[in-house]
Amino acid sequence: MREKFTKSPRIAVLTGAGISAESGISTFRDQDGLWEKHDIMDVATPEGWRRNPSLVLEFYNQRRKQLDEVLPNAAHFALAKLQKHFQVDIITQNVDDLHERAGTTNVMHLHGELRKVRSDKFPALVYTTKHWEVKLGDTCEKGHQLRPNIVWFGEDVPLIPLAAQLVENADIILVIGTSLNVYPAAGLLYHAQYNARKILIDPNEMQVENVFQLQHYKEKAGDAVPKVVAELIQEFLG
Ligand code: OAD
């Protein structure tokens, strides 16, 4: 059964690494994913940073460098199109900039952004990097080492309350390419209205399907997102 909308629906989109997979960026937990090749504790925690900042800088330098070699794919472009027709809030766990480069505005980056760095001592001092490489000795205006502006494991996710509000306000929620393994982002669906339409796009079986009553497109984002976007435009705008 499908709920009827009397007004244009408000749409929240939660994206994860899977939406960028077809652009050539590895996911984290799939076979051959980033966390098979790197130890989370070494490169994505404040403890790892304290232990070996060079290793951490190098890990994110390589990720940043890769951004110059990849392009948004059909899924990113389809979401930019969706945003032209509806009020769409994009909440991403991704630290790449492919949503923006596809033309999407107002992207909420829950886990930070690769293109940004911040002062190790004063978190409010955030800078956009012009170059992919950040080195030991690169400092903020107050002379403290710059670190990636990434939310590491064990750190607060400051945007979560705002993201929860967006999910709560949504009539339709699209969840695309995330294993929903990492909290608090994975808990955002608990904020959805009981009658919100929830659509999951992920080629793999997901345990959350039944819990949240998600309509599951078991396909790659590059195939399913343009299809779902076309269906929504057809349904509401004819
Ligand atoms: P994961 O690597 O945990 O999950 C990726 C999801 O994408 C899986 O469910 C795959 O089945 C799916 N997937 C793979 N290829 C796809 C495709 N072509 N189209 C659609 N889906 C596809 O990545 P996330 O859930 O994003 O955080 O991981 C969440 C967080 O864990 C990341 O933001 C990162 C990581 O540790 C930090 O580093 C702080």
Side-chain angles (χ1 to χ4, degrees):
M1 197 171 68
R2 277 204 158 170
E3 61 289 9
K4 287 222 175 350
F5 293 100
T6 50
K7 58 176 176 55
S8 181
R10 186 162 172 166
I11 303 171
V13 185
L14 176 64
T15 66
I19 195 169
S20 298
E22 288 157 85
S23 293
I25 300 181
S26 289
T27 62
F28 295 94
R29 295 175 184 80
D30 288 312
Q31 205 179 6
D32 227 22
L34 273 179
W35 294 153
E36 263 185 16
K37 299 184 192 125
H38 304 270
D39 189 328
I40 291 185
M41 296 309 289
D42 286 340
V43 298
T45 63
E47 294 77 16
W49 171 245
R50 295 280 160 252
R51 241 185 347 258
N52 192 343
S54 301
L55 179 81
V56 176
L57 288 176
E58 181 54 18
F59 175 75
Y60 289 100
N61 282 345
Q62 289 309 318
R63 311 270 82 71
R64 204 175 293 112
K65 190 176 180 191
Q66 189 190 26
L67 284 189
D68 294 331
E69 295 152 15
V70 297
L71 294 169
N73 64 54
H76 299 103
F77 285 115
L79 291 178
K81 181 174 176 188
L82 189 70
Q83 208 178 41
K84 289 202 167 75
H85 295 283
F86 302 101
Q87 181 166 356
V88 179
D89 300 304
I90 307 265
I91 306 160
T92 188
Q93 297 166 87
N94 297 346
V95 295
D96 66 49
D97 58 357
L98 295 181
H99 282 304
E100 287 89 344
R101 282 161 60 195
T104 303
T105 52
N106 271 341
V107 183
M108 181 183 281
H109 284 273
L110 286 180
H111 294 163
E113 288 172 81
L114 272 177
R115 298 252 192 224
K116 292 189 176 162
V117 288
R118 70 167 166 88
S119 168
D120 195 20
K121 175 109 175 165
F122 299 103
L125 295 180
V126 177
Y127 308 88
T128 301
T129 48
K130 293 183 186 72
H131 190 247
W132 61 269
E133 193 174 25
V134 182
K135 298 195 277 288
L136 268 190
D138 290 345
T139 58
C140 71
E141 67 218 50
K142 292 185 190 282
H144 299 282
Q145 178 64 43
L146 291 174
R147 56 160 272 185
N149 193 33
I150 303 288
V151 176
W152 286 326
F153 289 92
E155 294 186 318
D156 280 345
V157 185
L159 290 170
I160 276 292
L162 277 176
Q165 192 65 58
L166 296 179
V167 171
E168 204 174 309
N169 291 343
D171 303 299
I172 299 175
I173 301 160
L174 306 185
V175 181
I176 306 168
T178 170
S179 62
L180 293 174
N181 260 304
V182 175
Y183 283 82
L188 282 172
L189 281 175
Y190 289 105
H191 293 270
Q193 293 170 39
Y194 80 97
N195 60 345
R197 189 191 300 175
K198 303 176 202 77
I199 297 169
L200 171 68
I201 296 171
D202 195 299
N204 291 319
E205 209 64 58
M206 306 274 292
Q207 297 194 336
V208 291
E209 250 167 84
N210 296 330
V211 181
F212 293 110
Q213 295 187 313
L214 294 148
Q215 178 189 344
H216 190 173
Y217 288 72
K218 229 170 274 175
E219 297 169 44
K220 290 184 172 180
D223 296 327
V225 179
K227 205 160 62 184
V228 168
V229 165
E231 282 168 8
L232 289 171
I233 291 172
Q234 175 62 32
E235 180 180 351
F236 293 102
L237 305 173

